[in-house]
Amino acid sequence: MKINIAAPQIGQEEKDAVMEVMNSGMLAQGPKVLQFEEDFAKFIGTKYAIATSNGTTALEVALRAHGITEGDEVITTPFTFIASANAVLYTGARPVFVDIKDDFLIDPDLIEAAITPKTKAILPVHLYGSACDMTKIMAIAQKHGLVVIEDACQSHGSEWQGQKTGSFGTGCFSLYPTKNMTVGEGGMITTNDQPAYEKSLLLRAHGSKVRYYHDILGYNYRMTDLEGAIGIEQLKKLPKFNAARQKNAAYLNEELGKIKGIIVQVAPEGVTHVYHQYTIRITPDFGLTRDEVLAKLTEASIGTAVFYPLPLNRQKVYEDLGYKPNTPIADDLTAQVLSLPVHPGLKQEDLEYIVKTFQEMAK
Ligand SMILES: Cc1ncc(COP(=O)(O)O)c(C=O)c1O
């Protein structure tokens, strides 16, 4: 590909930080992870942060730490990466899918109708680097006594009305290489809830506070100090990375927004978007289908991706569990979405080439 859909931004600072840990001989979870957790909590604006092995384990630990278990229901979106709902299944609880709005996010006005006596939590996903309407979601949660676990795996630094995602309920982040910041593979939980924090520490490390004494059934979901050291450096650069993504998205919105049949990705009212993905909709007015556009961009050596081609309630693994398609807006949008490169490594000429390729397709 001439232009990749994602490009991890690793500099000399990360390389030096890894070498320092290598030379220390202390590779497993240690002081670097602790510092990374402190820095991350400060950035998000929570009292606590707990580093884990990836975003999926962050979600599982957060759900378990809040007592989600067999027989419970957790309300979430079907328009997300499968880990959002699988983490619920791991606990023995059942995800309940609520449809989205045309901003790709769970429709808060449909949540209350999905609440049953078994509902224990709401798990909104701040997809693509956006932010859900946390005013409405927190009000519903409070009214019904529900826990809120935010899937912030794609939203490092995004804000709802000036407050960071991951700081409203208990937040879960992924640090996978395509994300706005990375450590390789890693995750982070953010919370102000002290009992959930303490339980998360136990769950992450085999239920152990004192070495070789185990209080509860836990796991090995730890982060290494090599990853912690990378995370410290990446977090320092995150505001700059996000600003570059916002600038790239603004240019694409301006130029692609002029083309008939393309709906560009404008941040919803109240959202500071960090454009983890820049996702447009190819509507019938464009003249070519989404898949035809995807093929033409691939031919032009421009990396693209469809996030996501199938809503979760249509995935075989969920069909086999008895789920039925019941989210028509998610169905419609999966047929139209196309994500384009927006990462901080793009040059102005790359952006111009993407726009020119679309202009030629539209002729
Ligand atoms: C919305 C969402 N949730 C959860 C995850 C899981 O994170 P990880 O891949 O780090 O396990 C991801 C990662 O892609 C994600 O995008």
Side-chain angles (χ1 to χ4, degrees):
M1 283 292 156
K2 183 173 142 75
I3 308 174
N4 288 322
I5 178 85
Q9 305 292 306
I10 301 294
Q12 196 56 44
E13 297 80 5
E14 287 83 351
K15 292 175 190 167
D16 290 345
V18 167
M19 283 313 291
E20 187 196 323
V21 176
M22 291 264 201
N23 292 333
S24 78
M26 169 80 214
L27 307 189
Q29 184 187 297
K32 293 294 181 188
V33 169
L34 199 61
Q35 189 192 327
F36 182 34
E37 290 173 334
E38 282 175 15
D39 294 353
F40 204 89
K42 196 163 164 215
F43 176 74
I44 296 299
T46 53
K47 275 196 203 146
Y48 311 106
I50 307 102
T52 65
S53 49
N54 55 60
T56 310
T57 53
L59 283 163
E60 184 190 349
V61 166
L63 287 159
R64 288 189 189 279
H66 282 281
I68 308 304
T69 188
E70 220 170 309
D72 294 341
E73 290 178 355
V74 176
I75 292 174
T76 191
T77 164
F79 193 78
T80 177
F81 182 58
I82 198 155
S84 310
N86 281 0
V88 176
L89 286 185
Y90 300 154
T91 68
R94 204 174 156 83
V96 171
F97 297 116
V98 162
D99 211 354
I100 55 173
K101 291 203 303 183
D102 64 2
D103 62 3
F104 311 114
L105 306 171
I106 193 167
D107 184 344
D109 297 332
L110 299 179
I111 291 176
E112 275 197 293
I115 294 174
T116 75
K118 292 181 177 174
T119 309
K120 289 285 154 50
I122 309 173
L123 194 154
V125 181
H126 306 300
L127 200 76
Y128 299 151
S130 189
C132 298
D133 182 335
M134 293 312 292
T135 309
K136 282 190 179 169
I137 292 172
M138 295 311 289
I140 296 165
Q142 201 163 23
K143 180 173 162 198
H144 296 272
L146 305 176
V147 167
V148 175
I149 308 286
E150 299 173 68
D151 183 335
C153 284
Q154 300 190 1
S155 68
H156 316 66
S158 81
E159 293 173 357
W160 169 253
Q161 294 188 345
Q163 185 179 335
K164 294 252 173 16
T165 54
S167 70
F168 292 88
T170 288
C172 301
F173 294 82
S174 166
L175 300 162
Y176 187 76
T178 55
K179 300 299 194 268
N180 290 28
M181 62 175 285
T182 184
V183 303
E185 288 264 17
M188 191 69 84
I189 302 167
T190 49
T191 192
N192 289 315
D193 182 319
Q194 193 181 354
Y197 166 66
E198 284 169 7
K199 183 106 186 262
S200 297
L201 294 179
L202 288 178
L203 288 164
R204 174 179 69 177
H206 281 303
S208 171
K209 226 185 282 174
V210 179
R211 224 177 192 184
Y212 305 124
Y213 290 85
H214 307 275
D215 301 340
I216 61 167
L217 179 65
Y219 309 86
N220 176 0
Y221 287 167
R222 291 185 300 262
M223 177 183 279
T224 69
D225 250 22
L226 294 163
E227 293 156 334
I230 299 171
I232 292 165
E233 298 307 320
Q234 286 272 294
L235 185 60
K236 288 183 202 160
K237 300 178 183 178
L238 180 65
K240 205 176 76 194
F241 292 158
N242 284 346
R245 286 175 180 273
Q246 287 160 342
K247 186 161 167 262
N248 293 342
Y251 177 81
L252 292 172
N253 276 344
E254 172 72 23
E255 296 303 323
L256 299 181
K258 294 175 190 161
I259 300 175
K260 191 171 158 230
I262 290 183
I263 301 178
V264 293
Q265 192 183 21
V266 179
E269 184 77 27
V271 173
T272 305
H273 208 301
V274 294
Y275 291 98
H276 167 58
Q277 297 297 346
Y278 178 77
T279 304
I280 59 170
R281 288 168 56 193
I282 314 287
T283 70
D285 284 347
F286 186 63
L288 297 175
T289 66
R290 188 269 314 277
D291 291 343
E292 285 166 345
V293 173
L294 192 153
K296 285 203 183 288
L297 291 170
T298 308
E299 228 172 80
S301 204
I302 298 169
T304 59
V306 174
F307 299 114
Y308 293 91
L310 258 192
L312 299 187
N313 44 11
R314 286 184 180 271
Q315 298 282 352
K316 182 168 184 309
V317 48
Y318 281 86
E319 277 179 355
D320 288 352
L321 291 169
Y323 283 82
K324 300 272 184 274
N326 62 343
T327 49
I329 297 179
D331 286 343
D332 282 352
L333 293 188
T334 49
Q336 291 187 354
V337 289
L338 187 64
S339 298
L340 305 177
V342 73
H343 59 77
L346 295 177
K347 299 191 206 71
Q348 181 59 25
E349 68 202 55
D350 297 328
L351 294 165
E352 285 169 13
Y353 178 67
I354 294 168
V355 168
K356 196 173 113 236
T357 308
F358 268 93
Q359 285 165 344
E360 273 163 19
M361 267 190 273
K363 271 184 195 161

